[in-house]
Amino acid sequence: MFLVSCIICIYYSAVAAWALSYFVSSLKFALPWATCDNDWNSIRCSVWNRDSVANCFLQNGTLLRNGSCVTDPEYLLAYDNLTVLEITSFDIDEHLLPSAEYFHKEILMVSSRFDKIGSIHWHLALCLLVVWFIVFLCAFKGVKSSGKAAYVAVFTPYVIFCVLFVRFLTLPGSLTGLVYFFIPNWKFMTDLKVWGTAAVQVFYSLLCCTGEVKIICRDAWFLCFVDIITSVLCAALIFSAVGFLCYELELPLEKFNFKGGVQLVFIYLPEAIAKLPVAPIYSILYFVMVISIILTTTNIATEAVVSAICDEFPERLRRNHRHVLAFACVIFYALGIPLCTAVIFILLTRSIC
């Protein structure tokens, strides 16, 4: 239990740092992962917006991968290799979404080799420091502060979730995504990997076998019911957003490469949000929701670790709960620093992306 809680604290705080970095970037007038005109973008980066593409083709223009529509033939002569820059349709295997390159090259700065550790990404290290400072503030007074923080951290995501879900339901393609989600594909019922993934999801969402939650039998059914409803609603939000994204990319849902975890949170959903009007506002709301959810789990796991240490030495440490908490936050921050280097993200992105 103790080791599992420690691992959760280290890894979840790193993910919260990613979300915090996205939140800061969302404060700009234009989202940086909405275009291919940035320094980190490669030639495979492609912007495809359904309405813009249709207008470009109606004008007999040439659509470039960065989303520009060129109608002047003389302007095209400036490009040495137009066939590489021109795009006539979005291919999920050939082209890269701007959000994917932003996540891997700007946020994570993923290294391509294990022997290239690289330097510490100080913007992530700073975000990680802010995350642990927030965790400390939420728990430094024990139940009094953590209880108040829990009310905000638990109810805020539900409010933001409703806003985003209603917004996506008004967009074209979202209902197609919901139909795709709710119509079962029975062949996956015989796939043991699917059952294993579902079991991991249940254990993490219910915090089983980690010591964070102590309940009695009459409350167990209620927690399981709320967990199931929340999971289904979150999946509905994801598939409505993916349905809208596929509509914009003019890509059939069957050809969409569904990958869970980090891909959904930091690539596909931000890409769908970037295509909305006033996208920065929705992006701010979305990443506030993500940060709140992650910090709730991190705060609970941290409190479990601190309580275990204090219970092991009750005479010396139980009265110094605040000092133990501060020490734990510092140690977890130090252990999370290696997650702010490029080589570590090779393992993380290959295992969770």
Side-chain angles (χ1 to χ4, degrees):
M1 179 271 289
F2 182 82
L3 291 178
V4 172
S5 298
C6 290
I7 294 173
I8 290 175
C9 290
I10 297 171
Y11 174 67
Y12 273 50
S13 62
V15 178
W18 303 347
L20 183 59
S21 180
Y22 268 87
F23 172 79
V24 174
S25 299
S26 301
L27 299 177
K28 302 177 182 179
F29 288 103
L31 298 178
W33 60 86
T35 65
C36 290
D37 300 327
N38 305 287
D39 296 336
W40 58 81
N41 292 127
S42 66
I43 198 171
R44 293 182 60 194
C45 180
S46 303
V47 177
W48 188 274
N49 295 315
R50 191 184 186 98
D51 294 338
S52 301
V53 171
N55 293 332
C56 182
F57 289 161
L58 286 176
Q59 299 174 14
N60 294 323
T62 300
L63 185 68
L64 303 183
R65 291 193 176 190
N66 62 0
S68 302
C69 181
V70 180
T71 57
D72 187 0
E74 296 183 358
Y75 184 78
L76 297 176
L77 298 177
Y79 293 96
D80 297 331
N81 195 354
L82 182 62
T83 57
V84 176
L85 297 175
E86 185 179 2
I87 180 173
T88 57
S89 63
F90 188 87
D91 189 342
I92 195 67
D93 297 321
E94 178 184 355
H95 304 132
L96 290 176
L97 294 172
S99 57
E101 290 204 333
Y102 178 79
F103 178 60
H104 290 106
K105 295 185 177 182
E106 177 64 12
I107 296 296
L108 304 186
M109 300 182 185
V110 178
S111 174
S112 59
R113 295 172 55 183
F114 284 96
D115 57 344
K116 290 186 177 181
I117 299 177
S119 60
I120 296 175
H121 304 164
W122 290 109
H123 70 286
L124 287 182
L126 180 60
C127 291
L128 185 64
L129 179 63
V130 174
V131 167
W132 279 112
F133 181 70
I134 295 174
V135 171
F136 176 78
L137 290 180
C138 292
F140 82 104
K141 286 187 178 180
V143 178
K144 293 182 179 180
S145 59
S146 61
K148 294 179 181 179
Y151 280 110
V152 177
V154 170
F155 288 105
T156 299
Y158 281 99
V159 175
I160 298 177
F161 167 83
C162 293
V163 174
L164 293 177
F165 190 40
V166 171
R167 182 66 182 96
F168 275 116
L169 286 179
T170 62
L171 300 173
S174 60
L175 294 180
T176 304
L178 289 177
V179 171
Y180 185 86
F181 168 60
F182 283 107
I183 295 180
N185 191 338
W186 298 108
K187 70 176 183 179
F188 290 111
M189 298 296 291
T190 59
D191 190 349
L192 295 180
K193 185 177 180 180
V194 173
W195 287 96
T197 303
V200 171
Q201 166 63 23
V202 171
F203 270 82
Y204 268 103
S205 59
L206 291 177
L207 296 176
C208 297
C209 303
T210 54
E212 284 89 344
V213 180
K214 298 178 178 62
I215 59 175
I216 56 180
C217 293
R218 66 183 181 185
D219 296 329
W221 68 270
F222 177 74
L223 290 178
C224 292
F225 176 77
V226 172
D227 179 71
I228 292 173
I229 296 300
T230 302
S231 299
V232 172
L233 291 177
C234 289
L237 170 64
I238 291 170
F239 274 84
S240 63
V242 170
F244 166 67
L245 180 59
C246 289
Y247 173 84
E248 285 291 319
L249 298 177
E250 298 184 279
L251 185 71
L253 267 170
E254 293 76 14
K255 293 184 178 181
F256 190 81
N257 188 14
F258 280 96
K259 291 184 178 180
V262 173
Q263 289 271 18
L264 287 174
V265 176
F266 293 103
I267 295 180
Y268 297 139
L269 281 173
E271 181 71 25
I273 291 174
K275 297 182 181 297
L276 297 175
V278 293
I281 295 178
Y282 291 105
S283 182
I284 290 173
L285 292 175
Y286 171 70
F287 284 107
V288 167
M289 179 182 70
V290 173
I291 293 171
S292 299
I293 294 172
I294 298 175
L295 284 182
T296 300
T297 304
T298 306
N299 190 31
I300 294 174
T302 303
E303 187 62 33
V305 172
V306 173
S307 298
I309 296 175
C310 292
D311 291 342
E312 187 69 21
F313 307 98
E315 296 181 357
R316 295 183 178 181
L317 300 181
R318 187 166 292 175
R319 296 180 179 179
N320 299 311
H321 177 273
R322 190 176 303 179
H323 298 85
V324 177
L325 174 64
F327 178 77
C329 291
V330 171
I331 294 299
F332 285 139
Y333 173 71
L335 294 175
I337 289 295
L339 298 181
C340 299
T341 58
V343 69
I344 296 298
F345 290 127
I346 300 178
L347 298 175
L348 290 179
T349 53
R350 286 183 180 179
S351 61
I352 60 183
C353 289

